[in-house]
Amino acid sequence: MIEVKNLVKRYGSNVAVDNLSFKVEKGQIYGFLGPNGAGKSTTMNIITGYIAASDGEVIINGHNIFEEPELAKKSIGYLPEIPPLYVDMTPYEYLKFAAELKKIDKKERDKMIDEVMKLTKITDVSNRLIRNLSKGYKQRVGLAQAILGYPEVIILDEPTVGLDPKQIIEIRDLIKSLSKKHTVILSSHILSEVSAVCDYVMIISKGKLVASDTPKNLSKLMAGSNALELTIRGDKKKLETILNGIDAIQEFEIHNSIEERAVDITMKIASQSDIREDIFYAMAEAKCPILAMKVSNMSLEDVFLELTGEDKEVKENQIELEKKSFEKMENEEEKEDERSL
Ligand code: ADP
Ligand code: MG
């Protein structure tokens, strides 16, 4: 359906899309997941023929987007990050205009416009000026334009940004219903959104594809980073020596425990190994009773953070900074209060 090969987009020395390759099959919902600036919009703009690539190939339904843009674009409907709405038109006028651009048969136009307005629930505002519509309605008008003519591939850049929770649910349901007849690619920087809607996730970081799989498999894939949490009664030094002797443990940390004469241990384990029994026997031999042992698998959230390098440390630092600036603000407010007294 869509094949992207070694796609590159440079802006000066900044590489926005860095050798991206992937394939998209029919009738599925694909999600581009990545933090802001990862290159999602740039990739979508290239696939849809909005901007040129620096290098690489995009084939849509057998047509190269750079060589046969008209034919390639025919099978794509696109909702860009900022929908190109003409605010002095009504939704009906705008869709009529879009239908002309899409060269939809004159006899079919009105029927098709009617259908997409029903699908996106904008019929009751069809004769109001777009400029007077709420953000949610504007987004739906953009979506109606993307679906109009039922292109085989529908590409949506951050379709739920700026919508309220109720609108988000409605748009998600609509996207899901579209996948019965269409292939959908959507982008989002919100993990829960992608895992709720998409059959397949492509995680993009700094212009590179760092992982692609079903949401379920992505969590499994990272099973290599399985972690164990333990509480063991025994001497810290002694436990350190024992744990250092178990190869499959990649790293471990020992903390004080609320349990008497015991420590809490967290450890990361090499991929696909289950070392619970090894630990049991090692501790039994050393006469260090295990009081608790728990496997903690990585959530998709952890996978995302790890793959995109959005380290927890960075996040924690950020929270720390925010706290400090908040305290500073409070201090200054107090001083203000004192002065005004
Ligand atoms: P995303 O959609 O994932 O947030 P973008 O594709 O918008 O990311 O941006 C990817 C990178 O390319 C960013 O570093 C951004 O600053 C840069 N970029 C995007 N558009 C331009 C442009 N027109 N000129 C220069 N740099 C750009
Ligand atoms: Mg974007």
Side-chain angles (χ1 to χ4, degrees):
M1 184 104 265
I2 296 184
E3 196 171 355
V4 172
K5 279 190 228 162
N6 308 105
L7 200 65
V8 178
K9 179 71 184 181
R10 289 182 212 98
Y11 288 111
S13 60
N14 180 14
V15 187
V17 179
D18 193 354
N19 211 14
L20 206 61
S21 300
F22 59 87
K23 274 186 193 166
V24 164
E25 308 292 343
K26 216 175 170 162
Q28 301 251 327
I29 306 181
Y30 291 81
F32 276 174
L33 177 66
N36 286 327
K40 304 178 297 291
S41 297
T42 307
T43 305
M44 289 183 150
N45 282 333
I46 297 173
I47 299 178
T48 51
Y50 264 57
I51 60 171
S54 309
D55 211 341
E57 253 187 316
V58 177
I59 314 286
I60 292 163
N61 254 350
H63 303 290
N64 187 311
I65 189 89
F66 311 123
E67 285 158 16
E68 302 174 299
E70 292 244 326
L71 283 173
K73 278 188 199 176
K74 242 192 164 152
S75 36
I76 298 181
Y78 184 31
L79 173 67
E81 198 161 22
I82 299 155
L85 299 174
Y86 294 99
V87 294
D88 290 324
M89 289 183 176
T90 65
Y92 173 73
E93 286 165 348
Y94 174 66
L95 290 173
K96 207 169 156 195
F97 171 69
E100 277 167 36
L101 285 184
K102 291 189 177 199
K103 301 203 174 77
I104 294 171
D105 199 3
K106 261 200 178 127
K107 278 176 271 166
E108 304 235 349
R109 267 179 212 168
D110 272 336
K111 188 180 129 256
M112 283 203 163
I113 291 172
D114 242 26
E115 274 178 24
V116 292
M117 288 204 296
K118 275 200 193 112
L119 262 179
T120 53
K121 297 195 181 135
I122 55 171
T123 312
D124 49 339
V125 298
S126 63
N127 291 316
R128 281 199 223 160
L129 285 185
I130 291 176
R131 98 164 52 251
N132 298 329
L133 299 181
S134 69
K135 166 102 189 157
Y137 269 109
K138 281 187 186 139
Q139 192 74 353
R140 281 192 250 178
V141 175
L143 197 58
Q145 169 275 131
I147 304 171
L148 185 65
Y150 302 116
E152 284 167 79
V153 185
I154 295 171
I155 299 184
L156 312 169
D157 196 357
E158 308 251 8
T160 59
V161 151
L163 304 184
D164 67 39
K166 185 167 168 279
Q167 293 168 333
I168 289 178
I169 290 169
E170 281 176 10
I171 295 269
R172 280 185 192 166
D173 286 343
L174 174 61
I175 292 171
K176 277 191 199 158
S177 72
L178 287 174
S179 75
K180 285 185 197 121
K181 287 187 195 154
H182 310 261
T183 303
V184 182
I185 307 178
L186 62 89
S187 73
S188 176
H189 62 281
I190 306 159
L191 181 89
S192 56
E193 170 149 296
V194 170
S195 47
V197 180
C198 300
D199 303 304
Y200 211 81
V201 182
M202 296 187 253
I203 300 183
I204 300 179
S205 173
K206 301 183 184 102
K208 286 195 175 80
L209 191 65
V210 289
S212 67
D213 213 323
T214 59
K216 214 173 158 189
N217 280 345
L218 275 178
S219 301
K220 262 199 227 156
L221 177 91
M222 296 301 285
S225 306
N226 264 353
L228 275 185
E229 292 166 28
L230 300 113
T231 304
I232 301 178
R233 182 155 287 153
D235 172 65
K236 195 176 162 188
K237 279 260 155 57
K238 189 172 166 189
L239 292 172
E240 250 171 23
T241 317
I242 301 169
L243 295 176
N244 277 325
I246 301 176
D247 279 346
I249 300 177
Q250 286 176 333
E251 52 186 81
F252 64 87
E253 280 176 36
I254 301 185
H255 306 276
N256 293 330
S257 175
I258 50 164
E259 295 275 3
E260 236 176 280
R261 290 174 289 116
V263 288
D264 290 335
I265 303 171
T266 55
M267 56 179 77
K268 263 194 174 179
I269 303 188
S271 76
Q272 313 301 340
S273 5
D274 185 352
I275 59 161
R276 285 173 298 177
E277 286 186 23
D278 294 347
I279 291 183
F280 170 83
Y281 287 119
M283 294 302 160
E285 206 187 320
K287 297 215 170 0
C288 297
I290 297 174
L291 306 180
M293 173 150 58
K294 189 175 144 244
V295 181
S296 54
N297 275 318
M298 274 191 136
S299 68
L300 197 52
E301 183 120 25
D302 296 324
V303 178
F304 179 55
L305 290 176
E306 176 130 339
L307 288 174
T308 56
E310 300 251 303
D311 230 27
K312 280 199 180 121
E313 240 171 73
V314 176
K315 264 200 163 165
E316 276 162 15
N317 280 342
Q318 207 163 350
I319 292 169
E320 207 44 48
L321 276 176
E322 275 166 20
K323 248 200 232 158
K324 275 191 188 137
S325 72
F326 183 71
E327 278 165 13
K328 204 173 144 206
M329 256 165 47
E330 278 196 324
N331 273 341
E332 274 162 15
E333 269 170 28
E334 270 169 28
K335 275 186 209 150
E336 283 281 312
D337 287 346
E338 278 165 20
R339 252 178 257 142
S340 56
L341 276 175

